[in-house]
Amino acid sequence: MSPSPTTHKAADIRLNLTRPIVLVGLMGVGKSTVGRRLAARLGLPFVDSDEEIAQAAGMTPGELFESYGEKQFRDGERRVIARLVDGKVKIIATGGGAFVNEETRALLLKEAIVVWLDADLDILAERVARRDTRPLVRVNNPRAVLAELAEQRRPFYAQAPIRVQGDAGSHEATVDRIIQAIGEACSG
Ligand code: S3P
């Protein structure tokens, strides 16, 4: 009989963590929802970089894009993420473009456990269509924009040491997969 695969337990993972867990990936993949649930499961604080930017700026990412443009937003995003990575163990959900920034990427790869949440494009397109809050996909054909972003960003996301499918089953199932993947990465 072949040995059954090791099941990593949330409590063990939590005890062994010395760095924050950071979720990266395209908009619509569920970084915030999954991040919040992962934090609850591990008993850790949760922060969302988009929410932190909104708090610091007093306006939503959409309003920031509209009033000051993408460049200003990216600059704020870089600074906010650098502040969030403060040596404490927590879960951080990032905006979809954050990990494309070279400085942010280098910081996160060094100081955090980076998890790429990936998903099928059709599912992402369907999810982003449900809300009108994302400036980059407030266009006639959001699927085409997402496809282009996926193409441009894949080489960056792929630098994350852990990749988890975010569209297979429930969010809780995704949380299970993240916990298993981190357990494997940390024990191997
Ligand atoms: C963006 C993703 C958004 C938000 C902003 C830009 C992007 O975050 O940061 O609209 O460039 O992919 P989510 O990935 O949480 O939607």
Side-chain angles (χ1 to χ4, degrees), residues 25-28 31-32 48 50 53 61-62 65 70 73-74 77 94-98 131 133-136 149 153 157:
L26 276 182
M27 51 189 119
K31 299 178 295 285
S32 305
D48 180 308
D50 279 343
I53 295 165
F65 261 69
E70 180 168 355
F73 172 78
R74 297 296 174 204
E77 183 173 53
T94 59
R131 280 203 287 154
T133 52
R134 294 180 173 103
L136 291 177
L149 287 175
R153 293 177 177 178
Y157 295 147

Side-chain angles (χ1 to χ4, degrees), residues 27-30 33 37 119-134 137-139 142-143 146 166-167 169 171:
M27 51 189 119
V29 74
T33 311
R37 289 175 188 225
D120 183 82
L121 209 61
D122 287 329
I123 291 181
L124 296 181
E126 194 258 316
R127 286 186 188 165
V128 302
R130 284 190 221 146
R131 280 203 287 154
D132 185 30
T133 52
R134 294 180 173 103
V137 285
R138 260 190 225 133
V139 291
R143 193 189 185 285
L146 270 174
D167 57 2
H171 287 311

Side-chain angles (χ1 to χ4, degrees), residues 4-21:
S4 59
T6 315
T7 306
H8 295 278
K9 299 266 180 339
D12 299 337
I13 304 285
R14 165 73 189 88
L15 280 177
N16 289 321
L17 281 178
T18 55
R19 289 178 289 163
I21 299 172

